[in-house]
Each structure stands twice: as C-alpha cells, then as structure tokens.
Amino acid sequence: MTAFIIAAALLLVAVIAILLPPLWQAPGASATTDRRAANLAIFRDQLAELEREHHDGSLADEDFENSRNELQRRLLDEVDAEPASAPPDSRLSGRKTALALLFVVPLAAAVGYTLIGNPRALDPLQRQTRVAPEQILEMVNGLVEKLRKNPDDSQGWVMLARSYKVLERFPEAADAYSRAATLVDQDPVLLAEYADVISRSNGGKLQGKPTELVERALKLDPDEPQALLLAGAAATDRQEFAAAAEYWSRLHAQLEPDSEEARALEAAINKAREIATQAAAAKAAGKPAAGVGAVSGEVTLSSKLAALARPDDVLFVFARAEEGPRMPLAAMRATVADLPLRFHFDDSMALSGGRKISDFATISIEARVAKAGKAQSSPGDLLGRLRSVKPGSRNLRLQIDQVQP
C-alpha cells in the first residue's frame, strides 16, 4: 500500500511539473511560431503512440478511431490558426490556471479513485490468493502421488511434511519428516520442525525423541529459534526452570525489542527464574520444594468406557502411599473434558498434616471419574491405577479402564 501511494504521488508531481511551467510563463508573440512547431511534433508523437497501442492490442478499434479523429481535428485547428500575440493579461491568466491545477489535479485524483477505484485492493491481505481447503487437499494428494513414484525426493517429503503441519495432521507430518532423514539430519531448522510435530502428535510431550532432535538441532546451530523455544519447554517439563530461563533468554535476544512476542517470552523467563530461585531457597532452608519427590505423567480414558462418561463428570487424580493410611499424599481435580490430562505431584503439594511423596520408596497413582461428584468412591465410578511408582518417575501413562463395582 505504501509503495502504491508513493508511486501515485510521484506521478502527480511529474504531471504538475510538466503542466505548470508553460502556464506560469505566458508565451510572447515571438515564441508563437516555435510553439506551433513544437505542438505539431507533439501531435505526430501522439498519433504514433496511438498506432503503437492499437497494434499491441491495448487500445480497441473504436477507441483508436475516436482518439485519432480527435488528434486530426486538433492538428487542423493548429495549422489553420493565425499567429497571434499573447494578450496583455495572458501571463496573469496562465499563472491563475497553474495555481488552480496545483490544487485541482491531486484533489481530482484522490476523489476519482475514491469514487471509481477500489481502495481495498491496496490491502495486501485482500490481494492474496484465496485457496479453498479442497484445493489444498488436491495439491497435497498430488504431491503424495509424485512421492510414490519418486520416494527418494527428500525436498518433496519436507514440503509434504510442512503441508500436513499446516493442515494439523501431525502424525502424517512426522512420518513425512522421517522419510526425509538424509536432509533433516543436517538441517537444524528441519530438526526443530520434526521435534515439534512429534510433540504435537503425542499431546504436547517433549521428552524422548523430540528432546533428542532439539539437542541435535542446537548442536548444529546453538541459536536456532524454534529449537531454543522447545528446549525451554522441555526443561520446564523436567522441572529444570533455570535451564528453561537460559534457553529462552537466548531466544529473547533474537526477537525485536518491545514486540508482543518479546514481552510474552520475557514474562515466561521471569517466571521460570522466580520458580528456580524459590526452589533453591527452599532447598537451602530444608523445606520441600517444587520438584522434590516429583512424579508426572498423563491420564487418558479407555475408548471402551468413553460412552459411560460425560464431559462435565468430575475427575480426581491422587498420589497415595501403597502401605499405610489411605489419605492422599497429593491430589488434583479436573473434569472428563480435560482428558487427556497432564498431572504433576511433588512434596510441595503435600496435603496439610500429611506425609510427603519422598517419604516412601513407592507410591500408587489413581485416577477416578466420580459419577457422584464426590472424593469418596462410589459404585459406577470409572477407575485407573498405577502401582509401585517410584518418586522421581516422569512421563507415566495412566489409563482409566475399570468400573467400580
């Protein structure tokens, strides 16, 4: 849009620069003959230009005939006109006309474009080609067909992977990246993209292969932006908040100052540093800190029991001692609509007056859909349980697959 306005302004300046000088200085009698000769040369040039446009097809036959007739009429008028001296007030009249044109030409251009033009066409978003979802799928299917005939085309697999990512078909995107391994393994950007789609395929989990890919990407390029972002997120999953702040600080240095992205990332860095400082202080004071005796994982609902649960049913997740009192060591509450649900328990979440997770060699993790909405179990509740869980265990997978008798 800015480029268009600048170009239009320059054209207006050029037109005014051509029109104003002759009008500002009214011609004298001695210049009349020279002016007529110059006008005749201009008429010839204009006629030649009309014929060229007509020959190129940019000027219709009817428009060409009309324009040529008008030029011929003006040419005859010029030839037949008697040389005349400029009237005494010609200089004053010319200057008035010049001043009028100085204001009228820009105003007329602006008003004319507003009335008969299309101002929305200046918006780059309006000028972008709109591609229907069906067209995108057709292009993707065409690319799949080409790759079947040429499965060694690594660039094609990367293109397909990125297309699947845009369509949020993350498992297919991960598979496509894996088929371009020879190219992906040497490119930190592609390694980070591969890690991202694997994580999205697994509900946002970054531990395991995604973390391995991110580490390889940072070895190739320690400042790769997406790899730094994912590395920080993976560090927070491991409760390594100081490391997360360090990764994100390196990314923050690459962002435009005071941008929305920079401000959001700065807030995350400050929060990670705050948690790391609190954990260090708690450890020095001998108090349970976040991350001590930690267990974490994900709760899912078996497809066989999905029909028995409503989205608003209450879901409880407990950490219990396998031996001793049944009072939970830690607990959280959610709803079925939150599944799959990530959980994290540590000593800082110990219930008032209760013992801590780190006090036991093993614990059990229990998830229960409470049909009655109460913490106490009742017939018809949906259950899932993990036994012999050691404090410090991560990425546990707990499935609700039983019905309370």
Tab-separated table of all heavy atoms in Angstrom, residues 36-97:
chain	number	residue	atom	x	y	z
A	36	ARG	N	4.050	26.546	-32.189
A	36	ARG	CA	3.234	25.800	-33.160
A	36	ARG	C	4.037	24.627	-33.720
A	36	ARG	O	3.509	23.524	-33.891
A	36	ARG	CB	2.782	26.720	-34.295
A	36	ARG	CG	1.765	27.780	-33.867
A	36	ARG	CD	1.383	28.667	-35.043
A	36	ARG	NE	0.789	27.888	-36.093
A	36	ARG	CZ	0.782	28.256	-37.389
A	36	ARG	NH1	1.361	29.371	-37.748
A	36	ARG	NH2	0.205	27.507	-38.289
A	37	ALA	N	5.327	24.868	-33.975
A	37	ALA	CA	6.153	23.774	-34.491
A	37	ALA	C	6.281	22.656	-33.448
A	37	ALA	O	6.223	21.464	-33.783
A	37	ALA	CB	7.539	24.313	-34.870
A	38	ALA	N	6.452	23.071	-32.191
A	38	ALA	CA	6.556	22.064	-31.132
A	38	ALA	C	5.257	21.277	-30.983
A	38	ALA	O	5.258	20.059	-30.780
A	38	ALA	CB	6.920	22.740	-29.812
A	39	ASN	N	4.120	21.995	-31.098
A	39	ASN	CA	2.826	21.322	-30.984
A	39	ASN	C	2.627	20.313	-32.102
A	39	ASN	O	2.086	19.213	-31.895
A	39	ASN	CB	1.685	22.334	-30.999
A	39	ASN	CG	1.609	23.121	-29.703
A	39	ASN	OD1	2.169	22.705	-28.693
A	39	ASN	ND2	0.944	24.273	-29.730
A	40	LEU	N	3.047	20.697	-33.325
A	40	LEU	CA	2.921	19.763	-34.455
A	40	LEU	C	3.751	18.501	-34.194
A	40	LEU	O	3.312	17.381	-34.510
A	40	LEU	CB	3.380	20.445	-35.756
A	40	LEU	CG	2.453	21.552	-36.287
A	40	LEU	CD1	3.094	22.237	-37.489
A	40	LEU	CD2	1.091	20.991	-36.660
A	41	ALA	N	4.931	18.658	-33.618
A	41	ALA	CA	5.769	17.493	-33.311
A	41	ALA	C	5.103	16.610	-32.239
A	41	ALA	O	5.133	15.380	-32.320
A	41	ALA	CB	7.148	17.958	-32.830
A	42	ILE	N	4.466	17.269	-31.278
A	42	ILE	CA	3.774	16.514	-30.227
A	42	ILE	C	2.617	15.729	-30.811
A	42	ILE	O	2.382	14.556	-30.466
A	42	ILE	CB	3.279	17.462	-29.117
A	42	ILE	CG1	4.485	18.040	-28.353
A	42	ILE	CG2	2.337	16.762	-28.152
A	42	ILE	CD1	4.122	19.122	-27.364
A	43	PHE	N	1.849	16.374	-31.726
A	43	PHE	CA	0.728	15.672	-32.351
A	43	PHE	C	1.206	14.431	-33.099
A	43	PHE	O	0.582	13.372	-33.060
A	43	PHE	CB	-0.012	16.599	-33.329
A	43	PHE	CG	-0.814	17.675	-32.632
A	43	PHE	CD1	-0.901	18.955	-33.144
A	43	PHE	CD2	-1.490	17.386	-31.449
A	43	PHE	CE1	-1.633	19.937	-32.497
A	43	PHE	CE2	-2.230	18.367	-30.804
A	43	PHE	CZ	-2.302	19.656	-31.319
A	44	ARG	N	2.335	14.571	-33.808
A	44	ARG	CA	2.850	13.415	-34.541
A	44	ARG	C	3.244	12.287	-33.575
A	44	ARG	O	2.967	11.115	-33.830
A	44	ARG	CB	4.065	13.849	-35.379
A	44	ARG	CG	3.696	14.643	-36.634
A	44	ARG	CD	4.882	14.722	-37.589
A	44	ARG	NE	5.988	15.466	-37.010
A	44	ARG	CZ	6.159	16.780	-37.148
A	44	ARG	NH1	5.280	17.495	-37.864
A	44	ARG	NH2	7.193	17.386	-36.598
A	45	ASP	N	3.886	12.672	-32.463
A	45	ASP	CA	4.275	11.651	-31.486
A	45	ASP	C	3.059	10.967	-30.877
A	45	ASP	O	3.039	9.741	-30.668
A	45	ASP	CB	5.110	12.289	-30.365
A	45	ASP	CG	6.481	12.719	-30.853
A	45	ASP	OD1	6.899	12.223	-31.919
A	45	ASP	OD2	7.117	13.548	-30.164
A	46	GLN	N	2.011	11.746	-30.596
A	46	GLN	CA	0.797	11.165	-30.007
A	46	GLN	C	0.110	10.225	-30.972
A	46	GLN	O	-0.412	9.169	-30.583
A	46	GLN	CB	-0.164	12.284	-29.573
A	46	GLN	CG	0.334	13.074	-28.369
A	46	GLN	CD	-0.603	14.200	-27.987
A	46	GLN	OE1	-1.382	14.683	-28.836
A	46	GLN	NE2	-0.524	14.650	-26.743
A	47	LEU	N	0.099	10.598	-32.258
A	47	LEU	CA	-0.508	9.718	-33.262
A	47	LEU	C	0.277	8.419	-33.375
A	47	LEU	O	-0.311	7.331	-33.463
A	47	LEU	CB	-0.555	10.442	-34.624
A	47	LEU	CG	-1.190	9.637	-35.773
A	47	LEU	CD1	-2.633	9.246	-35.415
A	47	LEU	CD2	-1.154	10.438	-37.069
A	48	ALA	N	1.604	8.527	-33.346
A	48	ALA	CA	2.428	7.317	-33.417
A	48	ALA	C	2.195	6.432	-32.188
A	48	ALA	O	2.142	5.198	-32.300
A	48	ALA	CB	3.904	7.698	-33.520
A	49	GLU	N	2.035	7.068	-31.029
A	49	GLU	CA	1.777	6.297	-29.804
A	49	GLU	C	0.436	5.580	-29.875
A	49	GLU	O	0.304	4.418	-29.476
A	49	GLU	CB	1.813	7.245	-28.597
A	49	GLU	CG	1.556	6.563	-27.240
A	49	GLU	CD	2.666	5.610	-26.879
A	49	GLU	OE1	3.781	5.751	-27.446
A	49	GLU	OE2	2.410	4.713	-26.058
A	50	LEU	N	-0.601	6.283	-30.412
A	50	LEU	CA	-1.916	5.639	-30.571
A	50	LEU	C	-1.822	4.435	-31.484
A	50	LEU	O	-2.411	3.366	-31.220
A	50	LEU	CB	-2.931	6.646	-31.129
A	50	LEU	CG	-3.441	7.713	-30.157
A	50	LEU	CD1	-4.326	8.711	-30.897
A	50	LEU	CD2	-4.231	7.064	-29.026
A	51	GLU	N	-1.116	4.578	-32.613
A	51	GLU	CA	-0.996	3.466	-33.558
A	51	GLU	C	-0.250	2.286	-32.918
A	51	GLU	O	-0.602	1.128	-33.155
A	51	GLU	CB	-0.260	3.961	-34.815
A	51	GLU	CG	-1.097	4.956	-35.646
A	51	GLU	CD	-0.309	5.524	-36.822
A	51	GLU	OE1	0.941	5.346	-36.814
A	51	GLU	OE2	-0.929	6.111	-37.724
A	52	ARG	N	0.763	2.581	-32.089
A	52	ARG	CA	1.502	1.507	-31.445
A	52	ARG	C	0.615	0.762	-30.430
A	52	ARG	O	0.628	-0.480	-30.371
A	52	ARG	CB	2.733	2.069	-30.724
A	52	ARG	CG	3.603	1.000	-30.077
A	52	ARG	CD	5.005	1.502	-29.721
A	52	ARG	NE	4.964	2.727	-28.920
A	52	ARG	CZ	5.240	3.933	-29.390
A	52	ARG	NH1	5.580	4.098	-30.654
A	52	ARG	NH2	5.187	5.004	-28.597
A	53	GLU	N	-0.156	1.504	-29.637
A	53	GLU	CA	-1.055	0.870	-28.672
A	53	GLU	C	-2.123	0.052	-29.369
A	53	GLU	O	-2.512	-1.027	-28.909
A	53	GLU	CB	-1.694	1.928	-27.773
A	53	GLU	CG	-0.715	2.609	-26.827
A	53	GLU	CD	-1.407	3.615	-25.941
A	53	GLU	OE1	-2.638	3.799	-26.088
A	53	GLU	OE2	-0.718	4.227	-25.093
A	54	HIS	N	-2.628	0.573	-30.505
A	54	HIS	CA	-3.632	-0.159	-31.265
A	54	HIS	C	-3.048	-1.440	-31.833
A	54	HIS	O	-3.677	-2.510	-31.819
A	54	HIS	CB	-4.191	0.732	-32.392
A	54	HIS	CG	-5.250	0.030	-33.222
A	54	HIS	ND1	-5.043	-0.371	-34.516
A	54	HIS	CD2	-6.527	-0.333	-32.913
A	54	HIS	CE1	-6.138	-0.956	-34.980
A	54	HIS	NE2	-7.051	-0.939	-34.021
A	55	HIS	N	-1.820	-1.342	-32.322
A	55	HIS	CA	-1.166	-2.525	-32.885
A	55	HIS	C	-0.897	-3.564	-31.794
A	55	HIS	O	-1.026	-4.774	-32.029
A	55	HIS	CB	0.154	-2.110	-33.549
A	55	HIS	CG	0.894	-3.274	-34.161
A	55	HIS	ND1	1.847	-3.983	-33.453
A	55	HIS	CD2	0.798	-3.858	-35.397
A	55	HIS	CE1	2.312	-4.962	-34.221
A	55	HIS	NE2	1.702	-4.892	-35.413
A	56	ASP	N	-0.543	-3.115	-30.570
A	56	ASP	CA	-0.268	-4.049	-29.475
A	56	ASP	C	-1.533	-4.640	-28.880
A	56	ASP	O	-1.464	-5.576	-28.076
A	56	ASP	CB	0.512	-3.339	-28.352
A	56	ASP	CG	1.904	-2.941	-28.821
A	56	ASP	OD1	2.371	-3.523	-29.820
A	56	ASP	OD2	2.509	-2.046	-28.185
A	57	GLY	N	-2.689	-4.112	-29.226
A	57	GLY	CA	-3.950	-4.652	-28.718
A	57	GLY	C	-4.416	-4.031	-27.431
A	57	GLY	O	-5.430	-4.453	-26.866
A	58	SER	N	-3.693	-3.034	-26.910
A	58	SER	CA	-4.118	-2.399	-25.662
A	58	SER	C	-5.150	-1.304	-25.892
A	58	SER	O	-5.670	-0.730	-24.932
A	58	SER	CB	-2.904	-1.807	-24.940
A	58	SER	OG	-2.264	-0.850	-25.761
A	59	LEU	N	-5.459	-0.975	-27.170
A	59	LEU	CA	-6.427	0.065	-27.499
A	59	LEU	C	-7.419	-0.520	-28.497
A	59	LEU	O	-7.026	-1.008	-29.571
A	59	LEU	CB	-5.718	1.293	-28.092
A	59	LEU	CG	-6.557	2.570	-28.222
A	59	LEU	CD1	-7.001	3.053	-26.842
A	59	LEU	CD2	-5.762	3.652	-28.932
A	60	ALA	N	-8.719	-0.506	-28.145
A	60	ALA	CA	-9.755	-1.076	-29.010
A	60	ALA	C	-9.888	-0.250	-30.298
A	60	ALA	O	-9.506	0.929	-30.359
A	60	ALA	CB	-11.085	-1.105	-28.256
A	61	ASP	N	-10.480	-0.877	-31.307
A	61	ASP	CA	-10.614	-0.216	-32.616
A	61	ASP	C	-11.405	1.078	-32.492
A	61	ASP	O	-11.032	2.119	-33.047
A	61	ASP	CB	-11.316	-1.169	-33.601
A	61	ASP	CG	-10.426	-2.359	-33.945
A	61	ASP	OD1	-9.203	-2.268	-33.692
A	61	ASP	OD2	-10.939	-3.368	-34.453
A	62	GLU	N	-12.520	1.004	-31.773
A	62	GLU	CA	-13.386	2.178	-31.660
A	62	GLU	C	-12.671	3.311	-30.940
A	62	GLU	O	-12.711	4.467	-31.368
A	62	GLU	CB	-14.667	1.793	-30.913
A	62	GLU	CG	-15.662	2.950	-30.802
A	62	GLU	CD	-16.925	2.526	-30.071
A	62	GLU	OE1	-17.085	1.327	-29.791
A	62	GLU	OE2	-17.758	3.406	-29.796
A	63	ASP	N	-11.962	2.951	-29.821
A	63	ASP	CA	-11.228	3.978	-29.084
A	63	ASP	C	-10.109	4.565	-29.940
A	63	ASP	O	-9.808	5.764	-29.880
A	63	ASP	CB	-10.639	3.377	-27.803
A	63	ASP	CG	-11.731	2.993	-26.825
A	63	ASP	OD1	-12.829	3.568	-26.912
A	63	ASP	OD2	-11.475	2.113	-25.967
A	64	PHE	N	-9.472	3.724	-30.752
A	64	PHE	CA	-8.395	4.195	-31.622
A	64	PHE	C	-8.925	5.192	-32.649
A	64	PHE	O	-8.326	6.254	-32.874
A	64	PHE	CB	-7.736	3.003	-32.318
A	64	PHE	CG	-6.749	3.408	-33.399
A	64	PHE	CD1	-5.527	3.998	-33.071
A	64	PHE	CD2	-7.053	3.227	-34.735
A	64	PHE	CE1	-4.627	4.368	-34.047
A	64	PHE	CE2	-6.147	3.592	-35.715
A	64	PHE	CZ	-4.932	4.171	-35.388
A	65	GLU	N	-10.060	4.874	-33.272
A	65	GLU	CA	-10.624	5.765	-34.288
A	65	GLU	C	-11.016	7.105	-33.678
A	65	GLU	O	-10.755	8.173	-34.244
A	65	GLU	CB	-11.847	5.093	-34.938
A	65	GLU	CG	-11.506	3.906	-35.835
A	65	GLU	CD	-10.649	4.311	-37.043
A	65	GLU	OE1	-10.747	5.486	-37.471
A	65	GLU	OE2	-9.900	3.462	-37.538
A	66	ASN	N	-11.649	7.039	-32.498
A	66	ASN	CA	-12.081	8.277	-31.842
A	66	ASN	C	-10.878	9.152	-31.478
A	66	ASN	O	-10.882	10.378	-31.684
A	66	ASN	CB	-12.890	7.962	-30.592
A	66	ASN	CG	-14.240	7.344	-30.923
A	66	ASN	OD1	-14.742	7.507	-32.046
A	66	ASN	ND2	-14.818	6.620	-29.973
A	67	SER	N	-9.843	8.503	-30.904
A	67	SER	CA	-8.664	9.258	-30.494
A	67	SER	C	-7.934	9.839	-31.707
A	67	SER	O	-7.466	10.974	-31.687
A	67	SER	CB	-7.717	8.354	-29.702
A	67	SER	OG	-8.345	7.887	-28.546
A	68	ARG	N	-7.849	9.071	-32.798
A	68	ARG	CA	-7.153	9.572	-33.986
A	68	ARG	C	-7.914	10.742	-34.604
A	68	ARG	O	-7.322	11.749	-35.032
A	68	ARG	CB	-6.986	8.441	-35.008
A	68	ARG	CG	-6.165	8.866	-36.241
A	68	ARG	CD	-5.881	7.712	-37.154
A	68	ARG	NE	-7.127	7.141	-37.674
A	68	ARG	CZ	-7.171	6.099	-38.530
A	68	ARG	NH1	-6.036	5.532	-38.917
A	68	ARG	NH2	-8.313	5.639	-38.966
A	69	ASN	N	-9.256	10.627	-34.655
A	69	ASN	CA	-10.061	11.728	-35.211
A	69	ASN	C	-9.888	13.004	-34.384
A	69	ASN	O	-9.809	14.115	-34.911
A	69	ASN	CB	-11.534	11.331	-35.258
A	69	ASN	CG	-11.795	10.239	-36.297
A	69	ASN	OD1	-10.993	10.068	-37.234
A	69	ASN	ND2	-12.873	9.497	-36.139
A	70	GLU	N	-9.827	12.846	-33.072
A	70	GLU	CA	-9.655	14.000	-32.207
A	70	GLU	C	-8.291	14.658	-32.440
A	70	GLU	O	-8.170	15.883	-32.502
A	70	GLU	CB	-9.770	13.552	-30.738
A	70	GLU	CG	-9.504	14.660	-29.711
A	70	GLU	CD	-10.510	15.797	-29.779
A	70	GLU	OE1	-11.596	15.596	-30.392
A	70	GLU	OE2	-10.209	16.884	-29.262
A	71	LEU	N	-7.258	13.818	-32.585
A	71	LEU	CA	-5.927	14.362	-32.857
A	71	LEU	C	-5.889	15.101	-34.197
A	71	LEU	O	-5.304	16.176	-34.328
A	71	LEU	CB	-4.888	13.241	-32.864
A	71	LEU	CG	-4.270	12.871	-31.517
A	71	LEU	CD1	-3.282	11.731	-31.701
A	71	LEU	CD2	-3.565	14.063	-30.903
A	72	GLN	N	-6.534	14.518	-35.211
A	72	GLN	CA	-6.551	15.154	-36.532
A	72	GLN	C	-7.284	16.495	-36.486
A	72	GLN	O	-6.870	17.470	-37.123
A	72	GLN	CB	-7.208	14.208	-37.553
A	72	GLN	CG	-6.342	12.986	-37.880
A	72	GLN	CD	-7.059	11.982	-38.752
A	72	GLN	OE1	-8.285	12.069	-38.919
A	72	GLN	NE2	-6.310	11.039	-39.310
A	73	ARG	N	-8.378	16.524	-35.724
A	73	ARG	CA	-9.118	17.779	-35.609
A	73	ARG	C	-8.263	18.854	-34.961
A	73	ARG	O	-8.181	20.001	-35.412
A	73	ARG	CB	-10.387	17.553	-34.774
A	73	ARG	CG	-11.277	18.809	-34.683
A	73	ARG	CD	-12.411	18.579	-33.703
A	73	ARG	NE	-11.904	18.361	-32.357
A	73	ARG	CZ	-11.434	19.338	-31.577
A	73	ARG	NH1	-11.379	20.582	-32.017
A	73	ARG	NH2	-11.004	19.061	-30.369
A	74	ARG	N	-7.564	18.468	-33.901
A	74	ARG	CA	-6.717	19.426	-33.219
A	74	ARG	C	-5.546	19.855	-34.102
A	74	ARG	O	-5.107	21.010	-34.061
A	74	ARG	CB	-6.195	18.810	-31.913
A	74	ARG	CG	-7.297	18.618	-30.850
A	74	ARG	CD	-6.852	17.709	-29.734
A	74	ARG	NE	-5.624	18.212	-29.113
A	74	ARG	CZ	-4.864	17.484	-28.280
A	74	ARG	NH1	-5.228	16.249	-28.006
A	74	ARG	NH2	-3.784	18.006	-27.760
A	75	LEU	N	-5.044	18.927	-34.904
A	75	LEU	CA	-3.943	19.254	-35.807
A	75	LEU	C	-4.378	20.276	-36.849
A	75	LEU	O	-3.665	21.235	-37.157
A	75	LEU	CB	-3.423	17.974	-36.476
A	75	LEU	CG	-2.266	18.134	-37.466
A	75	LEU	CD1	-1.059	18.750	-36.779
A	75	LEU	CD2	-1.917	16.796	-38.098
A	76	LEU	N	-5.603	20.084	-37.410
A	76	LEU	CA	-6.122	21.039	-38.392
A	76	LEU	C	-6.325	22.411	-37.766
A	76	LEU	O	-6.038	23.448	-38.371
A	76	LEU	CB	-7.434	20.523	-38.979
A	76	LEU	CG	-7.305	19.293	-39.901
A	76	LEU	CD1	-8.673	18.797	-40.304
A	76	LEU	CD2	-6.481	19.652	-41.145
A	77	ASP	N	-6.827	22.414	-36.548
A	77	ASP	CA	-7.020	23.696	-35.855
A	77	ASP	C	-5.694	24.419	-35.675
A	77	ASP	O	-5.594	25.647	-35.806
A	77	ASP	CB	-7.672	23.458	-34.482
A	77	ASP	CG	-9.120	23.015	-34.620
A	77	ASP	OD1	-9.681	23.172	-35.713
A	77	ASP	OD2	-9.669	22.488	-33.618
A	78	GLU	N	-4.671	23.661	-35.366
A	78	GLU	CA	-3.359	24.277	-35.145
A	78	GLU	C	-2.787	24.842	-36.442
A	78	GLU	O	-2.208	25.924	-36.478
A	78	GLU	CB	-2.401	23.234	-34.533
A	78	GLU	CG	-0.992	23.753	-34.246
A	78	GLU	CD	-0.981	24.804	-33.159
A	78	GLU	OE1	-1.933	24.847	-32.349
A	78	GLU	OE2	-0.025	25.610	-33.120
A	79	VAL	N	-2.936	24.097	-37.536
A	79	VAL	CA	-2.391	24.552	-38.833
A	79	VAL	C	-3.122	25.778	-39.331
A	79	VAL	O	-2.531	26.721	-39.864
A	79	VAL	CB	-2.467	23.408	-39.863
A	79	VAL	CG1	-2.097	23.926	-41.255
A	79	VAL	CG2	-1.535	22.278	-39.448
A	80	ASP	N	-4.464	25.788	-39.147
A	80	ASP	CA	-5.281	26.889	-39.658
A	80	ASP	C	-5.226	28.123	-38.778
A	80	ASP	O	-5.637	29.207	-39.167
A	80	ASP	CB	-6.742	26.454	-39.801
A	80	ASP	CG	-6.883	25.380	-40.889
A	80	ASP	OD1	-5.961	25.308	-41.743
A	80	ASP	OD2	-7.874	24.638	-40.855
A	81	ALA	N	-4.772	27.949	-37.538
A	81	ALA	CA	-4.819	29.088	-36.611
A	81	ALA	C	-3.844	30.171	-37.037
A	81	ALA	O	-2.748	29.901	-37.522
A	81	ALA	CB	-4.486	28.614	-35.192
A	82	GLU	N	-4.261	31.442	-36.915
A	82	GLU	CA	-3.423	32.592	-37.251
A	82	GLU	C	-2.497	32.893	-36.091
A	82	GLU	O	-2.919	32.865	-34.937
A	82	GLU	CB	-4.306	33.832	-37.526
A	82	GLU	CG	-5.117	33.727	-38.786
A	82	GLU	CD	-4.249	33.722	-40.040
A	82	GLU	OE1	-3.141	34.290	-39.999
A	82	GLU	OE2	-4.673	33.125	-41.024
A	83	PRO	N	-1.246	33.168	-36.377
A	83	PRO	CA	-0.355	33.547	-35.281
A	83	PRO	C	-0.908	34.777	-34.580
A	83	PRO	O	-1.348	35.717	-35.208
A	83	PRO	CB	0.967	33.856	-35.977
A	83	PRO	CG	0.898	33.118	-37.280
A	83	PRO	CD	-0.535	33.150	-37.678
A	84	ALA	N	-0.894	34.715	-33.319
A	84	ALA	CA	-1.427	35.844	-32.545
A	84	ALA	C	-0.506	36.143	-31.388
A	84	ALA	O	0.140	35.258	-30.847
A	84	ALA	CB	-2.827	35.537	-32.042
A	85	SER	N	-0.502	37.395	-31.037
A	85	SER	CA	0.299	37.800	-29.892
A	85	SER	C	-0.446	37.474	-28.619
A	85	SER	O	-1.673	37.474	-28.580
A	85	SER	CB	0.580	39.308	-29.953
A	85	SER	OG	1.305	39.629	-31.119
A	86	ALA	N	0.293	37.198	-27.606
A	86	ALA	CA	-0.352	36.896	-26.334
A	86	ALA	C	-1.028	38.132	-25.810
A	86	ALA	O	-0.476	39.230	-25.876
A	86	ALA	CB	0.692	36.420	-25.321
A	87	PRO	N	-2.231	38.016	-25.335
A	87	PRO	CA	-2.933	39.171	-24.786
A	87	PRO	C	-2.202	39.713	-23.583
A	87	PRO	O	-1.436	39.008	-22.927
A	87	PRO	CB	-4.307	38.613	-24.413
A	87	PRO	CG	-4.095	37.158	-24.242
A	87	PRO	CD	-3.037	36.780	-25.214
A	88	PRO	N	-2.429	40.987	-23.254
A	88	PRO	CA	-1.705	41.616	-22.142
A	88	PRO	C	-1.838	40.860	-20.845
A	88	PRO	O	-0.918	40.834	-20.032
A	88	PRO	CB	-2.338	43.007	-22.049
A	88	PRO	CG	-2.901	43.261	-23.417
A	88	PRO	CD	-3.340	41.939	-23.922
A	89	ASP	N	-3.013	40.224	-20.626
A	89	ASP	CA	-3.195	39.568	-19.334
A	89	ASP	C	-2.918	38.069	-19.402
A	89	ASP	O	-3.312	37.317	-18.529
A	89	ASP	CB	-4.619	39.807	-18.819
A	89	ASP	CG	-5.657	39.222	-19.767
A	89	ASP	OD1	-5.293	38.907	-20.929
A	89	ASP	OD2	-6.807	39.061	-19.323
A	90	SER	N	-2.249	37.633	-20.481
A	90	SER	CA	-2.040	36.194	-20.639
A	90	SER	C	-1.159	35.635	-19.520
A	90	SER	O	-1.348	34.525	-19.054
A	90	SER	CB	-1.411	35.893	-22.008
A	90	SER	OG	-0.140	36.543	-22.115
A	91	ARG	N	-0.119	36.407	-19.109
A	91	ARG	CA	0.757	35.915	-18.051
A	91	ARG	C	-0.006	35.733	-16.745
A	91	ARG	O	0.115	34.718	-16.065
A	91	ARG	CB	1.915	36.886	-17.855
A	91	ARG	CG	2.935	36.423	-16.803
A	91	ARG	CD	4.087	37.412	-16.708
A	91	ARG	NE	4.791	37.490	-17.970
A	91	ARG	CZ	5.798	36.690	-18.301
A	91	ARG	NH1	6.162	35.725	-17.477
A	91	ARG	NH2	6.419	36.845	-19.457
A	92	LEU	N	-0.837	36.706	-16.411
A	92	LEU	CA	-1.627	36.607	-15.178
A	92	LEU	C	-2.604	35.457	-15.264
A	92	LEU	O	-2.771	34.683	-14.308
A	92	LEU	CB	-2.361	37.929	-14.934
A	92	LEU	CG	-3.244	37.976	-13.670
A	92	LEU	CD1	-2.401	37.699	-12.431
A	92	LEU	CD2	-3.946	39.328	-13.577
A	93	SER	N	-3.279	35.307	-16.425
A	93	SER	CA	-4.246	34.213	-16.594
A	93	SER	C	-3.561	32.863	-16.490
A	93	SER	O	-4.072	31.918	-15.887
A	93	SER	CB	-4.950	34.356	-17.952
A	93	SER	OG	-5.822	33.274	-18.171
A	94	GLY	N	-2.373	32.751	-17.117
A	94	GLY	CA	-1.654	31.478	-17.057
A	94	GLY	C	-1.265	31.108	-15.645
A	94	GLY	O	-1.339	29.949	-15.243
A	95	ARG	N	-0.842	32.096	-14.875
A	95	ARG	CA	-0.459	31.801	-13.507
A	95	ARG	C	-1.658	31.385	-12.659
A	95	ARG	O	-1.539	30.517	-11.780
A	95	ARG	CB	0.223	33.022	-12.884
A	95	ARG	CG	1.607	33.287	-13.498
A	95	ARG	CD	2.348	34.385	-12.796
A	95	ARG	NE	3.697	34.514	-13.326
A	95	ARG	CZ	4.603	35.378	-12.892
A	95	ARG	NH1	4.263	36.219	-11.899
A	95	ARG	NH2	5.813	35.433	-13.416
A	96	LYS	N	-2.801	31.997	-12.912
A	96	LYS	CA	-4.015	31.574	-12.186
A	96	LYS	C	-4.349	30.123	-12.509
A	96	LYS	O	-4.710	29.330	-11.642
A	96	LYS	CB	-5.183	32.482	-12.546
A	96	LYS	CG	-5.066	33.892	-11.970
A	96	LYS	CD	-6.300	34.712	-12.334
A	96	LYS	CE	-6.219	36.117	-11.710
A	96	LYS	NZ	-7.392	36.932	-12.074
A	97	THR	N	-4.232	29.789	-13.791
A	97	THR	CA	-4.514	28.405	-14.194
A	97	THR	C	-3.513	27.444	-13.559
A	97	THR	O	-3.867	26.351	-13.101
A	97	THR	CB	-4.451	28.274	-15.730
A	97	THR	OG1	-5.362	29.196	-16.311
A	97	THR	CG2	-4.792	26.863	-16.167
